[in-house]
Amino acid sequence: MIVGVEEMSLETKALGHCGVAGAVPLSFRRSLSSFPTRLSFRTAVPSQTRRFQSLAVVKRSPKRLKYSAPRLTKEDGLLYVQVDQFGSDSWKLDPVVELLKGGAVGVIPTDTLYAIVCDLNSHSAIERLRRIKEIEPSKASCIYPLSIICRSFRDIDTYTTGFPCGNAQGLTDIFRAVKRCLPGPYTFILTASKQLPKQCTRYGTATSKYASRKNVGVRIPDDPVCQAILEKLDGPLISTSVKSPKENEWILDPVIIADVYGPEGLDFVVDAGVRVADPSTVVDMTESAPRIIRQGKGPKQPWMIAEDDDSAVDE
């Protein structure tokens, strides 16, 4: 539903002081986006989730209310699209896809957290994504990588050298084991291929010298909204996680994300509801044995080696 300004003329019955009814023609213009009330259709959710959502709403400032009404129009340079978390209204994502094709940077949901994304083949968009990410003080002085959100294993085969044939534990068919995990809440670190743009294989900040690397994280999220965007775009996205600039914590509410990152140059936000604070499980596949370097939402598989390591691999 595209919400803009609609002009309407109606006739009302007005009662005078003496109780005499008279026809009063009224003609006016109004903007549906001016309503401060959040309009949404909610499905039944567990009581714990409902309690969390209520707390999130209480913390919203009046400034954030300008993003609270569901709409597809652009305000202050930001397109805010509220969609069903199960993807039943994926037609609303068409303007988002057009923006991505034009080099936009925005936020979309995944099966774990929200992610800042852009077209993998847009060099200028990748540089803008890095600059937006730099508002996080915890990241400004350190190195952070980017990950690829893929449509299918075909994208993984294109932009990486693929999964290893076996591991040190005697597992000879790693690919078959990985297929049981994807789509799902895992990020696999693989060796990048020559097809991956150089902007994706270097990391750092604009204020420090970029360094190059040969590895990249890949994901296939099990999220209907995310998958719909990838399908409409017909290509993968480059991504990074969304954290609070003041605290090293994930931002779970898309309304707050719009408020924080909108002024930094964000082009759009896709709102599919509040996420849970579980990042993806990161598995390094470049060594002799698949090694977990960050335990997240994805459970440890028997062929993975667990290791307590706070790696800086993002969503």
Side-chain angles (χ1 to χ4, degrees):
M1 177 182 65
I2 299 180
V3 181
V5 178
E6 68 171 327
E7 183 173 358
M8 54 175 56
S9 179
L10 53 83
E11 186 175 271
T12 63
K13 297 284 187 176
L15 291 177
H17 293 291
C18 299
V20 180
V24 181
L26 297 178
S27 178
F28 60 90
R29 294 172 63 87
R30 63 166 179 160
S31 173
L32 296 182
S33 61
S34 63
F35 288 129
T37 305
R38 182 166 188 164
L39 305 177
S40 60
F41 296 93
R42 300 183 180 275
T43 56
V45 294
S47 58
Q48 184 178 1
T49 304
R50 291 198 298 269
R51 182 174 60 85
F52 181 83
Q53 289 177 335
S54 297
L55 291 176
V57 172
V58 170
K59 293 181 179 180
R60 293 175 184 173
S61 67
K63 179 180 178 181
R64 294 175 184 142
L65 290 177
K66 66 181 180 180
Y67 302 114
S68 63
R71 59 182 180 276
L72 295 177
T73 55
K74 217 170 183 183
E75 280 192 17
D76 302 328
L78 176 71
L79 177 72
Y80 192 94
V81 183
Q82 190 175 33
V83 297
D84 174 43
Q85 61 179 329
F86 301 109
S88 63
D89 50 0
S90 60
W91 58 270
K92 292 182 179 179
L93 300 172
D94 291 342
V96 170
V97 174
E98 291 304 314
L99 285 175
L100 284 169
K101 291 179 179 179
V105 178
V107 170
I108 68 171
T110 71
D111 56 351
T112 54
L113 307 168
Y114 277 92
I116 305 176
V117 301
C118 67
D119 186 354
L120 181 145
N121 295 304
S122 176
H123 298 173
S124 60
I126 294 174
E127 295 305 316
R128 287 185 55 221
L129 184 151
R130 293 182 185 276
R131 288 195 297 270
I132 292 174
K133 182 71 172 178
E134 286 175 15
I135 72 171
E136 301 177 10
S138 61
K139 297 283 186 179
S141 60
C142 67
I143 292 173
Y144 59 85
L146 302 175
S147 297
I148 307 174
I149 297 181
C150 303
R151 296 167 296 174
S152 63
F153 284 96
R154 181 175 297 180
D155 287 335
I156 296 178
D157 291 339
T158 299
Y159 297 104
T160 73
T161 58
F163 292 92
C165 296
N167 64 3
Q169 298 172 320
L171 183 61
T172 58
D173 196 347
I174 289 288
F175 181 71
R176 178 177 295 180
V178 169
K179 285 185 69 175
R180 299 190 183 101
C181 299
L182 296 177
Y186 293 90
T187 298
F188 291 103
I189 300 178
L190 300 171
T191 302
S193 68
K194 293 182 179 180
Q195 281 72 27
L196 189 66
K198 293 182 179 180
Q199 280 77 8
C200 302
T201 56
R202 64 180 189 173
Y203 59 105
T205 65
T207 56
S208 64
K209 186 177 180 179
Y210 283 112
S212 61
R213 62 174 180 161
K214 61 180 180 179
N215 301 329
V216 66
V218 295
R219 289 211 60 199
I220 304 181
D222 187 17
D223 181 85
V225 177
C226 181
Q227 286 291 340
I229 293 174
L230 293 172
E231 182 179 350
K232 291 174 179 289
L233 182 65
D234 195 26
L237 295 167
I238 201 72
S239 71
T240 185
S241 58
V242 184
K243 284 192 173 182
S244 170
K246 298 181 180 180
E247 301 175 0
N248 191 28
E249 296 179 353
W250 313 111
I251 303 181
L252 310 177
D253 191 332
V255 175
I256 298 177
I257 294 173
D259 183 35
V260 172
Y261 284 89
E264 303 300 326
L266 205 64
D267 296 306
F268 66 85
V269 172
V270 178
D271 179 352
V274 177
R275 304 283 99 170
V276 294
D278 283 328
S280 61
T281 294
V282 181
V283 184
D284 188 353
M285 306 290 288
T286 62
E287 299 182 357
S288 58
R291 180 171 56 94
I292 296 177
I293 60 177
R294 184 183 71 190
Q295 182 62 59
K297 185 176 180 179
K300 176 185 176 299
Q301 301 298 320
W303 48 274
M304 299 176 183
I305 297 176
E307 179 177 335
D308 296 331
D309 183 7
D310 296 331
S311 176
V313 176
D314 270 327
E315 165 72 11

